[in-house]
Amino acid sequence: MHSQQVTAEPPSNSTVGDVPGALRSPASGADRAPFTFDVIIAGCGPTGATLAAELRLHDVRVLVLEKETEPKSFVRIVGLHIRSLELMAMRGLLDRLLQHGRQRPAGGFFAAISKPAPKDLDSAHAYLLGIPQPVIERLLEEHATELGAQVRRGCTVTGFEQDDEGVTVELADGERVRSRYLVGCDGGRSTVRKLLGVGFPGEPSRTETLMGEMEVGVPQEEITAKVTEIRETRQPFWLRPFGGGIYSVVVPAAGVSDRAEPPTLEDFQQQLRAIAGTDFGVHSPRWLSRFGDATRLAERYRVGRVLLAGDSAHIHPPIGGQGLNLGVQDAFNLGWKLAAQIRGWAPEALLDTYQAERHPVAADVLDNTRAQMELLSTEPGPQAVRRLLTELMDFDEVNRHLIEKITAIGIRYDFGAGPDLLGRRLRDIDVKQGHLYGLLRRGRGLLLDRTERLTVGGWSDRVDHLADPTAALDVPCVLLRPDGHVAWIGDDQQDLDDHLSRWFGKPAD
């Protein structure tokens, strides 16, 4: 059934069958193995697991290949920003996450400048959720498998070939698996991106920082006094308590090294003594890592039937905590579009809107992390700019702009001329049935119709219709995409039909 629905679309800026580093294409269709899956995803981190779940909402057959044999064991705390929390709420996952996380104020993100969050942020989830990385990865993987995705661990992608019908993926043990599409969610050192021959321009690391969680051997008061003293002249540097005697420790490294080699406790002790004059008696680390300020963006997110998402497509310093969030949001943008292509109803250019929308978002994140890293410099010039920006952030408009940028609620995709709401996400407003996001759990489009005279007609298999939804809207009707972004505003049926066709293809017969 699936093979009849899929046509060989024109590749996006591609040379299918002649991909640098990939396997050669089979000579003819008769030599090709039958499709076992619709999509193979390389990597089962947050991006890969989220994408798998989004595809399964549309009955797409998904295989996730993860090179690690076991999930991560170290307990690193990561943060989910406002937009990611909204997306999790849309799919009914937020309550699960809240059980394992800790809510914190949505402020002080930009270059670690301590300013409170602006009042009345436009979200029902205006906070940061700190959650252990192994927990969020486990919950997202469980969600994907509950929906029917297959996850295979200990499987490393070593090559692939693509043709006009699909992709054949080769694993390290010689096995070949066939699918219609391949998505690389395999991290900053992505094998898929390298085999695809996609450029990854940017800047290598110039500085490096050690980060870990461990116990300390001195009183909190002594730590606070010393950290306050050091932070007056040096960024980044902190020891923050997590409870139970565990501290998050961040300290500049002695130099740039091979990130493949994790640091040792001795590395932390030496750098703490060099900078603070004491190592604070750190001991019993839970995990240790290092990060640099390398900043790179893939030139393309798609070549034919192979796509990139998450860190495979972009890397940047972790300042502001945007990396995991950016990847998860990539997955929500791509999932329904790739599913539409596989199910056979996607408009011609729909899949290409993934790069058109997400590439500029990633470029903006890279720029704001570059700016933040400059503000962490101890040089007089950057420190002067930091002091000036700290003053400017006392203005609500400046503080609000930066918070909306970091948390991704300020994103507006270019859908053409129209009201400011067009292309933006809609907050979780109250509707007669409860909350708006509760109506988006199936990953379908949604028409909010205050006129009670419009219809989704032949698109009812892809778009839900809610008449007389709420008085909270100040526009007649809104068409939402599955990712919650506003695709149309108006009250004219013909205009609505045109936009339904633009985003959801031809109506069913």
Side-chain angles (χ1 to χ4, degrees), residues 110-247:
F110 195 86
I113 295 175
S114 181
K115 295 291 181 180
K119 296 180 180 179
D120 303 321
L121 282 171
D122 183 33
S123 177
H125 308 285
Y127 53 87
L128 173 77
L129 183 68
I131 187 169
Q133 184 170 351
V135 172
I136 188 172
E137 293 188 358
R138 173 176 59 82
L139 293 175
L140 292 176
E141 182 177 339
E142 287 177 356
H143 178 55
T145 55
E146 287 168 3
L147 291 172
Q150 294 187 37
V151 178
R152 293 173 57 182
R153 291 190 168 272
C155 294
T156 302
V157 174
T158 57
F160 60 82
E161 59 191 10
Q162 63 168 312
D163 49 63
D164 57 357
E165 294 180 356
V167 185
T168 302
V169 178
E170 183 170 358
L171 308 183
D173 63 2
E175 180 184 359
R176 291 190 172 201
V177 189
R178 182 100 167 125
S179 69
R180 301 187 186 283
Y181 288 87
L182 168 66
V183 185
C185 300
D186 50 341
R189 300 172 184 267
S190 171
T191 297
V192 173
R193 186 191 65 245
K194 293 173 182 177
L195 291 174
L196 198 57
V198 169
F200 205 38
E203 306 91 50
S205 289
R206 298 171 300 170
T207 64
E208 191 169 87
T209 304
L210 305 181
M211 176 185 291
E213 292 176 11
M214 60 202 73
E215 297 182 37
V216 300
V218 298
Q220 171 69 47
E221 296 77 13
E222 181 178 335
I223 295 173
T224 300
K226 180 59 71 171
V227 170
T228 301
E229 174 188 339
I230 300 298
R231 288 288 296 267
E232 292 180 357
T233 58
R234 180 179 289 275
Q235 300 280 348
F237 180 91
W238 67 71
L239 286 84
R240 293 176 178 168
F242 276 142
I246 302 296
Y247 279 71

Side-chain angles (χ1 to χ4, degrees), residues 466-495:
L466 180 62
D468 188 25
T470 177
L473 286 172
D474 58 2
V475 294
C477 303
V478 166
L479 176 64
L480 294 178
R481 305 192 317 184
D483 59 0
H485 280 262
V486 177
W488 173 80
I489 301 170
D491 59 6
D492 179 75
Q493 183 67 57
Q494 182 57 57
D495 193 29

Side-chain angles (χ1 to χ4, degrees), residues 69-365:
T69 57
E70 298 291 338
K72 291 183 176 69
S73 59
F74 60 81
V75 186
R76 175 181 178 181
I77 302 298
V78 296
L80 288 179
H81 282 310
I82 297 174
R83 182 56 183 154
S84 296
L85 295 171
E86 292 181 338
L87 292 168
M88 296 300 167
M90 287 181 195
R91 299 301 186 258
L93 286 171
L94 185 56
D95 287 344
R96 290 196 207 180
L97 296 170
L98 290 175
Q99 295 175 20
H100 300 277
R102 178 181 176 186
Q103 296 183 34
R104 298 178 180 176
F109 299 142
F110 195 86
I113 295 175
S114 181
K115 295 291 181 180
K119 296 180 180 179
D120 303 321
L121 282 171
D122 183 33
S123 177
H125 308 285
Y127 53 87
L128 173 77
L129 183 68
I131 187 169
Q133 184 170 351
V135 172
I136 188 172
E137 293 188 358
R138 173 176 59 82
L139 293 175
L140 292 176
E141 182 177 339
E142 287 177 356
H143 178 55
T145 55
E146 287 168 3
L147 291 172
Q150 294 187 37
V151 178
R152 293 173 57 182
R153 291 190 168 272
C155 294
T156 302
V157 174
T158 57
F160 60 82
E161 59 191 10
Q162 63 168 312
D163 49 63
D164 57 357
E165 294 180 356
V167 185
T168 302
V169 178
E170 183 170 358
L171 308 183
D173 63 2
E175 180 184 359
R176 291 190 172 201
V177 189
R178 182 100 167 125
S179 69
R180 301 187 186 283
Y181 288 87
L182 168 66
V183 185
C185 300
D186 50 341
R189 300 172 184 267
S190 171
T191 297
V192 173
R193 186 191 65 245
K194 293 173 182 177
L195 291 174
L196 198 57
V198 169
F200 205 38
E203 306 91 50
S205 289
R206 298 171 300 170
T207 64
E208 191 169 87
T209 304
L210 305 181
M211 176 185 291
E213 292 176 11
M214 60 202 73
E215 297 182 37
V216 300
V218 298
Q220 171 69 47
E221 296 77 13
E222 181 178 335
I223 295 173
T224 300
K226 180 59 71 171
V227 170
T228 301
E229 174 188 339
I230 300 298
R231 288 288 296 267
E232 292 180 357
T233 58
R234 180 179 289 275
Q235 300 280 348
F237 180 91
W238 67 71
L239 286 84
R240 293 176 178 168
F242 276 142
I246 302 296
Y247 279 71
S248 169
V249 179
V250 172
V251 59
V256 178
S257 61
D258 182 1
R259 288 192 62 200
E261 292 295 326
T264 64
L265 179 62
E266 184 180 357
D267 293 330
F268 278 80
Q269 293 168 331
Q270 289 178 350
Q271 287 306 105
L272 287 170
R273 288 194 292 266
I275 294 171
T278 174
D279 62 14
F280 301 97
V282 294
H283 64 94
S284 305
R286 297 202 295 184
W287 61 269
L288 304 173
S289 68
R290 65 177 86 243
F291 67 87
D293 59 349
T295 305
R296 299 186 182 276
L297 178 61
E299 292 178 337
R300 290 181 282 174
Y301 281 13
R302 178 188 174 205
V303 178
R305 292 179 175 272
V306 184
L307 300 102
L308 303 172
D311 288 353
S312 301
H314 39 70
I315 59 170
H316 57 84
I319 186 71
Q322 299 167 90
L324 182 151
N325 294 272
L326 183 59
V328 166
Q329 291 157 26
D330 284 348
F332 274 94
N333 186 285
L334 173 60
W336 70 278
K337 298 173 181 178
L338 185 53
Q341 191 70 40
I342 290 166
R343 302 308 298 170
W345 56 259
E348 182 177 356
L350 181 65
L351 194 52
D352 284 333
T353 67
Y354 167 58
Q355 170 166 325
E357 293 171 6
R358 296 303 297 172
H359 197 275
V361 169
D364 184 70
V365 170

Side-chain angles (χ1 to χ4, degrees), residues 5 26 50 80 135 226 293 393 430 440:
Q5 292 176 323
T50 299
L80 288 179
V135 172
K226 180 59 71 171
D293 59 349
M393 288 177 67
D430 292 333
L440 295 169

Side-chain angles (χ1 to χ4, degrees), residues 374-494:
E374 289 296 320
L375 294 173
L376 297 181
S377 169
T378 59
E379 295 297 317
Q383 283 297 298
V385 176
R386 183 183 180 88
R387 289 191 292 271
L388 176 60
L389 184 60
T390 301
E391 293 179 14
L392 292 175
M393 288 177 67
D394 286 332
F395 292 95
D396 182 77
E397 295 84 352
V398 176
N399 192 21
R400 184 177 302 273
H401 175 76
L402 294 176
I403 290 294
E404 290 181 350
K405 181 183 290 292
I406 294 289
T407 62
I409 61 173
I411 291 173
R412 186 190 187 203
Y413 296 137
D414 184 6
F415 294 170
D420 183 67
L421 183 60
L422 183 66
R424 296 188 184 276
R425 101 281 184 255
L426 189 61
R427 63 170 290 150
D428 192 9
I429 60 177
D430 292 333
V431 294
K432 289 191 304 183
Q433 288 78 359
H435 297 284
L436 171 65
Y437 289 177
L439 305 178
L440 295 169
R441 293 191 177 182
R442 294 194 294 169
R444 294 159 55 91
L446 176 64
L447 175 66
L448 300 178
D449 176 14
R450 294 183 65 198
T451 70
E452 300 186 69
R453 57 180 174 77
L454 299 183
T455 176
V456 295
W459 293 273
S460 61
D461 60 332
R462 294 155 245 168
V463 182
D464 294 323
H465 181 201
L466 180 62
D468 188 25
T470 177
L473 286 172
D474 58 2
V475 294
C477 303
V478 166
L479 176 64
L480 294 178
R481 305 192 317 184
D483 59 0
H485 280 262
V486 177
W488 173 80
I489 301 170
D491 59 6
D492 179 75
Q493 183 67 57
Q494 182 57 57

